[in-house]
Amino acid sequence: MILDGKVPAGPIEKKWEEHRFNLKLVNPANKRKHTVIVVGTGLAGASASASLAELGYNVLTFCFHDSPRRAHSIAAQGGINAAKNYQNDGDSVHRLFYDTVKGGDFRAREANVHRLAEVSVNIIDQCVAQGVPFAREYGGVLANRSFGGAQVSRTFYARGQTGQQLLIGAYQALSRAVSSGKVKLHTKHEMLDLVIINGQARGIITRDLDTGKIERFAADAVCLATGGYSTVFFLSTNAKNCNVTATYRAYKRGAYFANPCYTQIHPTCIPQSGDHQSKLTLMSESLRNDGRVWVPNKVGDKRGPHEIPDNERDYYLERKYPSFGNLAPRDISSRAAKELCDAGKGVGPGGFGVYLDFRDAIKRDGRSTIEAKYGNLFSIYHEITGEDAYQVPMRIYPAPHYTMGGLWVDYNLMSNIPGLFVLGEANFSDHGANRLGASALMQGLADGYFIIPYTIGGYIAGTKRETVDTQHAAFADAEKSVTGQMEKLIAVRGKRSVDDFHRQLGKLMWNKCGMGRTATGLQELLKEIPKIRDEFWTNVNVTGSAGTFNQTLERAGRVADYLEFAEMMALDALERNESCGGHFREEFQEEGEAKRDDEKFRHVTAWEYKGVGEKPAQHIEPLEFENVKLAVRSYK
């Protein structure tokens, strides 16, 4: 099937403006008659809940945390992009649009990316009005810094805790809506199924994580803002509880999953320190503004960094990509680090690390300046490693971070299931095959504050829906499916822990579907995953019962989903016979760089569920590039 992204006609600069005008409206009095479910309270979910409530809708908001403020958006460090051009350095909406399309290696939908660049300028004003404490220059104007894949300074930041500060702003707006009664907030509730009635998304099934109670909730539309799936690798920069369950179970109900093989490896993470580590820690990409990345010239050089003179150091990003230097995009920087570590030039335990060195920046600007910019990041590094990065270089290594794949959505952010909207990292729409740094926060807030309030209104006003409640048979069927799976998990009473299976899957995925992929490795992976899945369902040990607080059961359900999802992810990587962005098929490269095949793969691949272990059906959305010319992606 050829998918229709419902991109409006006309010049790209006018598409969003004219589309907003053409969308049907729900008058203020009628908004009070409609209910919207929002799953997730990160930047996309919290901003969407607050915005829809301010418009007058009744909003049911869910998160599996004890507070919305624990959403993983809080972990974002370096900044948020916006085309304000405060630095007067040549930035513009068009340049942000161009950088994002190019950064995604020409695998994103142009119209969505341009809209993102347009609304970026409003996001900053919104957040400043909420009191977000962005860094400022001496004269009081908002400060900017650079990020990978850009030659201008467009990234607004609050030291190294930008995500936390932006989430507090969105949380304030959400709290106002909760206190007014327009949002009913359900914390410690995990979505376990999507309810479809007459082909429309009409509700969800949740489990109260404190009591184990299964509950039903009905609405006129459902918004999923549940983040990405990088914990499929077990070790990632994501929190341990991040998972694919909400979007994957929507996929099993008929929503198409687009480009699952597009995963981002972040180049600036603290290297793994042990086999039983539960997650990895990100060191913000913003550090590459002042830190210089290098390795020793000699293979197996065990000297300390201070013992290696400059003429025996390889500042490899500056050497390979002189135009962008240490701010080359994430996928390129990650592969370059892996290549040198694989060649025996890595540093630290096992040789899995490169140096991120602030010696020259401290000498040039002074320690106090560096401390003002990145102080809390240096503190995090010291707490974890015991090393003082003001005195010795940080050691960093690439790690799984963000995922560009997600549920397929059209221009309105609606999936192929009418009434199911998908926001932020949970959808596929804006980043193509690689996300530029500081663009995740931009997309989450753009979707929640400035896009979904228009498009969901257009759907509600323009679609007929029967009146339903939670007594409908579809809710009973969905609840039965959920309880059946939980009972099956508890009945196994095997010998291996949930984490043991997850760790085994994650290691396989990292080795065969991580930074480098080959047809042989992916074919082997597709044979191994079903074996692990079969053993999981006969040998996993889930203690306790379903009708109570049970974190082992929670994790088991999420890992069960990953053991199915990973198969689709590997299949997607195998079917895409090209290299683009974060999808690096080693057979398709030229001088070490990704080699696209625009003739055969200039499209989005969206998968339709056909059963566990069955090959999903493939659907295609062709990508047209009318405003950015297709070109070899070069940062040299």
Side-chain angles (χ1 to χ4, degrees):
M1 181 189 296
I2 302 298
L3 297 174
D4 179 10
K6 294 184 172 59
V7 175
I12 198 165
E13 299 85 0
K14 297 289 186 180
K15 287 183 188 294
W16 177 230
E17 180 182 348
E18 293 183 6
H19 185 64
R20 282 184 299 171
F21 178 76
N22 290 326
L23 285 168
K24 291 186 176 181
L25 300 176
V26 182
N27 79 53
N30 285 341
K31 287 188 177 81
R32 293 193 289 270
K33 302 174 184 177
H34 296 290
T35 299
V36 178
I37 285 172
V38 178
V39 185
T41 56
L43 289 180
S47 59
S49 295
S51 299
L52 293 172
E54 287 291 331
L55 286 172
Y57 295 104
N58 302 302
V59 182
L60 305 177
T61 300
F62 299 83
C63 68
F64 61 58
H65 303 291
D66 54 2
S67 165
R69 284 184 57 184
R70 291 185 61 120
H72 195 62
S73 297
I74 201 170
Q77 296 170 342
I80 176 170
N81 287 330
K84 284 285 198 181
N85 195 30
Y86 283 170
Q87 306 301 308
N88 198 27
D89 57 359
D91 201 11
S92 64
V93 166
H94 185 79
R95 188 174 294 279
L96 175 53
F97 160 64
Y98 171 82
D99 286 346
T100 305
V101 171
K102 177 185 174 184
D105 216 354
F106 301 91
R107 291 295 177 262
R109 188 190 289 146
E110 271 195 343
N112 286 63
V113 178
H114 196 278
R115 176 175 63 186
L116 177 64
E118 285 178 60
V119 303
S120 72
V121 298
N122 299 327
I123 295 170
I124 303 304
D125 297 338
Q126 171 90 359
C127 294
V128 169
Q130 290 174 336
V132 173
F134 287 121
R136 295 179 179 268
E137 304 287 2
Y138 177 76
V141 298
L142 297 182
N144 288 127
R145 56 191 178 199
S146 297
F147 255 66
Q151 291 178 307
V152 296
S153 294
R154 64 162 68 100
T155 304
F156 295 78
Y157 62 98
R159 294 188 84 186
Q161 51 186 239
T162 313
Q164 180 182 22
Q165 299 301 331
L166 291 173
L167 188 59
I168 289 172
Y171 174 68
Q172 290 176 143
L174 174 60
S175 297
R176 167 187 160 91
V178 171
S179 66
S180 73
K182 294 305 292 181
V183 170
K184 291 184 179 177
L185 178 63
H186 299 270
T187 59
K188 293 189 176 181
H189 277 64
E190 182 170 25
M191 172 186 157
L192 295 180
D193 211 345
L194 177 71
V195 179
I196 309 290
I197 299 175
N198 295 332
Q200 300 169 327
R202 296 304 305 269
I204 62 173
I205 305 296
T206 68
R207 180 173 182 268
D208 184 321
L209 300 183
D210 271 343
T211 67
K213 182 181 179 183
I214 303 300
E215 298 180 74
R216 310 172 182 183
F217 297 91
D220 295 286
V222 176
C223 297
L224 299 185
T226 53
Y229 48 87
S230 210
T231 48
V232 70
F233 296 104
F234 187 72
L235 286 181
S236 77
T237 66
N238 287 198
K240 184 176 174 63
N241 279 342
C242 292
N243 61 82
V244 77
T245 289
T247 50
Y248 186 71
R249 297 197 182 181
Y251 161 74
K252 292 180 79 170
R253 287 292 179 185
Y256 298 163
F257 210 111
N259 300 335
C261 75
Y262 287 168
T263 56
Q264 181 169 78
I265 310 300
H266 198 293
T268 317
C269 299
I270 298 177
Q272 181 180 351
S273 60
D275 288 340
H276 293 282
Q277 196 169 332
S278 65
K279 75 176 295 292
L280 299 171
T281 303
L282 175 69
M283 287 284 99
S284 170
E285 181 177 303
S286 64
L287 292 167
R288 293 196 281 150
N289 273 284
D290 289 295
R292 299 179 70 191
V293 181
W294 64 276
V295 293
N297 277 332
K298 297 177 184 176
V299 173
D301 194 333
K302 301 299 183 185
R303 291 178 292 173
H306 293 319
E307 300 174 282
I308 303 175
D310 279 14
N311 62 356
E312 294 181 28
R313 301 179 177 188
D314 180 8
Y315 292 93
Y316 58 90
L317 291 178
E318 298 171 32
R319 169 175 58 81
K320 294 181 72 172
Y321 310 104
S323 293
F324 285 75
N326 295 295
L327 287 173
R330 291 176 175 178
D331 58 321
I332 288 173
S333 302
S334 293
R335 285 197 297 272
K338 181 179 184 294
E339 179 185 337
L340 289 167
C341 290
D342 289 348
K345 296 184 178 183
V347 302
F352 292 108
V354 300
Y355 287 127
L356 180 61
D357 196 341
F358 288 84
R359 180 199 65 181
D360 294 346
I362 291 171
K363 185 177 180 181
R364 180 185 67 242
D365 298 329
R367 173 170 170 158
S368 60
T369 299
I370 300 302
E371 208 164 348
K373 288 182 179 179
Y374 316 109
N376 64 310
L377 296 170
F378 278 69
S379 297
I380 290 170
Y381 185 81
H382 181 264
E383 287 294 320
I384 291 173
T385 66
E387 298 175 3
D388 182 356
Y390 294 107
Q391 302 296 326
V392 295
M394 290 181 179
R395 288 178 294 107
I396 57 170
Y397 191 70
H401 179 55
Y402 187 90
T403 54
M404 286 75 65
L407 291 184
W408 182 87
V409 293
D410 62 18
Y411 188 72
N412 293 315
L413 303 185
M414 189 166 73
S415 74
N416 59 293
I417 297 176
L420 177 63
F421 294 82
V422 192
L423 285 62
E425 190 179 359
N427 75 35
F428 88 100
S429 67
D430 290 5
H431 305 297
N434 174 63
R435 178 177 67 80
L436 292 183
S439 286
L441 307 185
M442 175 175 62
Q443 186 206 351
L445 292 180
D447 288 357
Y449 282 138
F450 297 108
I451 298 172
I452 199 65
Y454 291 98
T455 60
I456 205 168
Y459 167 75
I460 289 173
T463 309
K464 291 183 178 180
R465 296 169 306 284
E466 68 171 287
T467 301
V468 300
D469 60 26
T470 56
Q471 299 309 304
H472 193 283
F475 281 90
D477 290 344
E479 181 177 330
K480 184 178 179 181
S481 174
V482 166
T483 55
Q485 185 190 50
M486 290 191 297
E487 289 167 0
K488 185 179 176 183
L489 282 167
I490 289 170
V492 177
R493 300 297 184 188
K495 296 181 179 179
R496 290 182 62 187
S497 71
V498 174
D499 277 1
D500 196 29
F501 281 103
H502 194 181
R503 189 179 290 108
Q504 181 185 7
L505 174 68
K507 189 174 289 187
L508 268 174
M509 292 297 289
W510 175 245
N511 289 334
K512 299 182 185 295
C513 197
M515 269 200 286
R517 299 143 182 211
T518 64
T520 300
L522 291 166
Q523 288 163 353
E524 292 170 353
L525 183 58
L526 286 166
K527 292 177 182 177
E528 288 297 319
I529 292 171
K531 294 178 185 177
I532 301 172
R533 187 169 63 233
D534 289 345
E535 186 185 354
F536 175 86
W537 283 105
T538 57
N539 198 28
V540 70
N541 183 19
V542 179
T543 55
S545 63
T548 185
F549 178 80
N550 190 338
Q551 290 185 310
T552 304
L553 178 60
E554 292 170 33
R555 290 198 297 272
R558 297 164 192 166
V559 173
D561 290 332
Y562 269 141
L563 284 166
E564 297 176 17
F565 172 78
E567 197 168 11
M568 174 176 57
M569 185 174 159
L571 174 65
D572 189 44
L574 181 62
E575 295 274 317
R576 187 168 282 276
N577 289 311
E578 66 165 352
S579 288
C580 55
H583 169 62
F584 192 70
R585 282 283 298 275
E586 294 176 8
E587 308 98 314
F588 306 103
Q589 57 178 298
E590 194 167 343
E591 297 180 357
E593 304 294 347
K595 186 177 181 181
R596 297 194 320 266
D597 185 342
D598 292 331
E599 184 178 339
K600 295 180 180 177
F601 294 100
R602 195 182 70 241
H603 61 243
V604 176
T605 301
W607 298 97
E608 179 186 1
Y609 179 70
K610 291 296 181 181
V612 177
E614 301 294 325
K615 185 175 180 178
Q618 186 183 67
H619 303 291
I620 298 297
E621 181 194 348
L623 294 172
E624 301 298 331
F625 294 92
E626 301 171 349
N627 299 275
V628 177
K629 184 180 178 183
L630 278 168
V632 175
R633 181 173 173 244
S634 175
Y635 291 91
K636 296 180 178 180

